[in-house]
Amino acid sequence: MKPTAINTHFDYIIIGAGAAGLMLADAMRKDVFFSKKKILLLDRDAKKANDRTWCFWEKGEGMFDDIVHTTWPYIFFGGKAFSKKFDIVPYRYKMVRGIDFYKTYLDRIALYPNIHFNQEEVVNVLDDGTLVTVETSINNYTAKKVLNSIFDYRMATKQTTYPVLQQHFVGWYVKTTKAVFEPDQATYMDFSIPQKGNTRFMYVLPFSETEALVEYTLFSKDLLPSEEYEIALKAYLKNELGCSSYEITDTEKGSIPMTCYDFQEHHSRNIRYIGTAGGWAKPSTGYTFMSTSKKIPGLVDFIKTGKDFRKLRFKNRFWYYDLLLLDILSGHNHLGQAIFESLFKNRSPQLIFKFLDEQTSFLEDLRFISGPRSMPFIKAIFKRLF
């Protein structure tokens, strides 16, 4: 894309060309309000690698269908005493590869002369109340407003009011020598594996009968040694899938914050944190992609007002529901398997997805909340109240 001159002033600077940064740049590209504005997008990476996948559920066609890699009409939930393959109509479970997303969005943005992408590492961002200075390893830039997606776990862990867990995982793209996967179903959660005092499950996205992404995932406070993820993946492939002969064609790993801390104190008048750094990951699940896409229009409308970024709020009643679950998992991490198993046993995936999409009515909320074991939630409510 187009390089920019040194020490150039911009109307807006977006730091980070991940999901949030690129969705925001694309939304600004399509809005006539920004057609004459100078916009700079910065990232230390060229975004040419398939470094992650994003998954989400959706009814019918959606805005990302042109880059969706695979879809599944069924999901599988596996528990200790309850397991089931669910038909999720009218939903489909969808997957977008990072490389497809980056290329599509960067190609779109490249067509607009007022938006520039520079591959530079940001080292400091300073808001003096009137102007923001962004220092990179190469240049200095100034802007009226800055949208920053750089996340550091210390942003959340320096406070104690809200628990902070991690959804951490290691995934293997495997190609097996025999048919072991069901291509029409995504394994949403398989708790048949040893829990070891945590909330641990397997997540499987098949592309054919012999190809899939298999991920070992935990909701817990601390990461594991690297070899423990690998041991668990090998054991699952051998013991649960009956597969000991396979090729690992690629790998991925990551850690997503799970917290109801809203990151509000990190914003300034002219700097707004976005994406994971802005607390946009769904606290109870770690899902970020669709959560981000739903927040972008509201953010764009707010940017156009020119108001103090600290005045923009996204908190709603679902934040409180998420907080209760995180309170439980923070103090009693081993309860995750029983909570999710009772939920999928007693409630349909359609209601679960609708609730996680924050689209349920209050009566539907009550029906959802009454699905899992109630006592841990009652205790969490009283702990928060008193």
Side-chain angles (χ1 to χ4, degrees), residues 117-129:
F117 174 56
N118 281 10
Q119 186 182 348
E120 299 178 31
E121 182 175 8
V122 173
V123 296
N124 192 34
V125 184
L126 179 65
D127 182 1
D128 67 8

Side-chain angles (χ1 to χ4, degrees), residues 321-337:
Y321 304 149
D322 288 336
L323 177 59
L324 293 179
L325 177 62
L326 293 182
D327 278 345
I328 294 168
L329 296 182
S330 178
H332 306 280
N333 197 239
H334 65 284
L335 292 179
Q337 175 267 323

Side-chain angles (χ1 to χ4, degrees), residues 6 77 104 144 184 224:
I6 298 175
F77 177 87
T104 298
K144 296 176 182 177
D184 66 345
L224 302 178

Side-chain angles (χ1 to χ4, degrees), residues 12 14 23-31 34 39 300 303:
Y12 306 99
I14 302 170
M23 284 187 199
L24 176 59
D26 188 60
M28 296 169 83
R29 167 189 70 86
K30 293 184 289 188
D31 193 314
F34 300 98
I39 302 169
V300 169
I303 290 172

Side-chain angles (χ1 to χ4, degrees), residues 2 11 15 17 53 55 63 72 78 82 91 105 113 135 189 208 211 231 276-277 297 309 313 315:
K2 309 168 288 295
D11 294 291
I15 301 174
T53 58
C55 288
M63 62 185 293
W72 298 270
F82 170 81
Y91 293 95
Y105 275 70
E135 300 176 13
M189 286 178 158
S208 71
E211 296 174 289
I231 291 170
T276 301
F309 274 150
R313 299 271 182 167
K315 188 185 295 185

Side-chain angles (χ1 to χ4, degrees), residues 192-258:
S192 63
I193 61 176
Q195 296 298 285
K196 300 182 180 181
N198 295 128
T199 298
R200 306 183 182 209
F201 59 92
M202 287 293 178
Y203 177 62
V204 183
L205 302 176
F207 312 121
S208 71
E209 292 182 337
T210 58
E211 296 174 289
L213 169 61
V214 183
E215 284 191 352
Y216 183 46
T217 306
L218 292 85
F219 294 170
S220 64
K221 292 181 180 179
D222 302 313
L223 302 180
L224 302 178
S226 297
E227 61 270 16
E228 192 166 341
Y229 299 96
E230 297 174 5
I231 291 170
L233 285 164
K234 289 177 182 177
Y236 185 74
L237 285 162
K238 180 180 180 181
N239 301 332
E240 300 299 327
L241 299 179
C243 179
S244 56
S245 178
Y246 52 86
E247 175 190 1
I248 302 172
T249 59
D250 203 354
T251 63
E252 72 173 34
K253 64 179 180 179
S255 174
I256 303 168
M258 301 176 69

Side-chain angles (χ1 to χ4, degrees), residues 12 14 17 37 48 51 89 94 141 147 188 203 215 221 247 278 330 377-378:
Y12 306 99
I14 302 170
K37 307 294 185 182
K48 296 184 181 298
D51 57 354
V89 66
K94 302 181 179 183
Y141 303 100
L147 295 308
Y188 188 72
Y203 177 62
E215 284 191 352
K221 292 181 180 179
E247 175 190 1
S330 178
F377 289 91
I378 293 171

Side-chain angles (χ1 to χ4, degrees), residues 56-59 72-78 82-93 185-189 285 287 340-360 364 367-368 371:
F56 53 95
W57 49 86
E58 192 171 36
K59 293 181 181 179
W72 298 270
Y74 299 91
I75 63 166
F76 174 77
F77 177 87
F82 170 81
S83 298
K84 185 175 179 179
K85 178 178 180 177
F86 291 97
D87 184 342
I88 59 173
V89 66
Y91 293 95
R92 290 184 74 90
Y93 199 67
Q185 77 171 24
T187 297
Y188 188 72
M189 286 178 158
T285 64
Y287 279 83
F340 286 107
E341 184 166 337
S342 61
L343 178 61
F344 274 88
K345 181 180 180 180
N346 297 319
R347 297 294 178 262
S348 71
Q350 287 83 356
L351 177 61
I352 294 171
F353 287 164
K354 188 176 182 181
F355 179 84
L356 294 177
D357 276 339
E358 303 184 354
Q359 294 177 345
T360 45
E364 288 174 317
R367 175 167 170 73
F368 174 91

